[in-house]
């Protein structure tokens, strides 16, 4: 069984969670509905406190699940305590890397990645439950890249709120004017190897 390591903030302990390598559209929809109910409550509280909501507050995993009709898309999840703690949609379509060292080589593209709302400080502040979701999902993306014989190369476009996170271990190739003016990040083969050995590189 695939495993993922999460940090439970309240106890300051590392817990072992289950990595779900291929979720069905129905599982993705159910997870999105569960998250949305929680998100609505958190959103109302933030509005009362006159605090801003996370940039991806409008995301709808019901709509995103439609990508799974195509064989090139797969949704992975992390489950702990009978709840999905994070989701990631990846594409194995042959997209050419943009780093000079990746010229002519395919990369695995991470289309969406999200932690459950109760794990996000943007919704929960100091009460956020688990950390390490993003790190575990990036590891899973690298593993999928290796399975596809892309040698660990991955890429994604980041919302502004997440740019500092990805900049820690991926190459920042600047704003992509063709994709909602989002910043594009790519991970080299060398960085992928280091990341799998110990996280940040």
């Amino acid at each position: 069984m695939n495993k993922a390591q999460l940090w439970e903030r309240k106890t300051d302990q590392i817990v072992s969670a289950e990595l779900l390598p291929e979720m069905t559209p129905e599982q993705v929809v159910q997870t999105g509905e569960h998250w949305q109910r929680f998100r609505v409550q958190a959103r109302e509280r933030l509005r009362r406190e006159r605090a801003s909501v996370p940039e991806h507050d409008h995301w709808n995993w019901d709509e995103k699940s439609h990508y799974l009709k195509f064989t090139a898309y797969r949704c992975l999840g992390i489950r702990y305590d009978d709840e999905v703690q994070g989701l990631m949609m990846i594409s194995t379509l042959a997209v050419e890397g943009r780093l000079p060292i990746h010229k002519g080589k395919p990369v695995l593209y991470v289309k969406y990645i999200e932690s459950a709302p109760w794990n996000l400080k943007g919704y929960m502040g100091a009460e956020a439950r688990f950390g390490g979701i993003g790190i575990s999902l990036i590891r899973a993306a690298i593993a999928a890249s290796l399975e596809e014989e892309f040698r660990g190369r991955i890429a994604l476009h980041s919302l502004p709120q997440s740019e500092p996170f990805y900049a820690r271990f991926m190459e920042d190739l600047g704003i992509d004017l063709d994709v909602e003016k989002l910043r594009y990040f790519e991970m080299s083969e060398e960085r992928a190897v280091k990341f799998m050995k110990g996280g940040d590189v």
Side-chain angles (χ1 to χ4, degrees), residues 28 35 56 58-61 63-68 73-77 86-91 108-115 137-138 141 155-159 166 179-180 182:
V28 174
W35 287 8
H56 67 284
H58 63 284
W59 278 14
N60 184 332
W61 282 95
E63 294 178 357
K64 299 184 191 314
S65 70
H66 296 168
Y67 283 102
L68 299 179
Y73 288 91
R74 180 160 36 118
C75 191
L76 297 84
L87 287 173
M88 177 176 65
M89 183 82 69
I90 62 173
S91 169
L108 182 136
Y109 186 72
V110 177
K111 192 163 184 65
Y112 301 107
I113 183 169
E114 183 181 8
S115 293
L137 288 173
I138 290 295
L156 55 81
H157 287 85
S158 173
L159 292 172
Y166 296 118
V179 183
E180 302 179 33
L182 295 177

Side-chain angles (χ1 to χ4, degrees), residues 42-69:
R43 186 187 302 143
E44 290 303 315
R45 188 188 72 255
L46 290 172
R47 285 176 178 165
R48 289 195 302 270
E49 297 171 356
R50 300 182 180 232
S52 60
V53 298
E55 292 169 343
H56 67 284
D57 182 70
H58 63 284
W59 278 14
N60 184 332
W61 282 95
D62 187 351
E63 294 178 357
K64 299 184 191 314
S65 70
H66 296 168
Y67 283 102
L68 299 179
K69 293 184 296 185

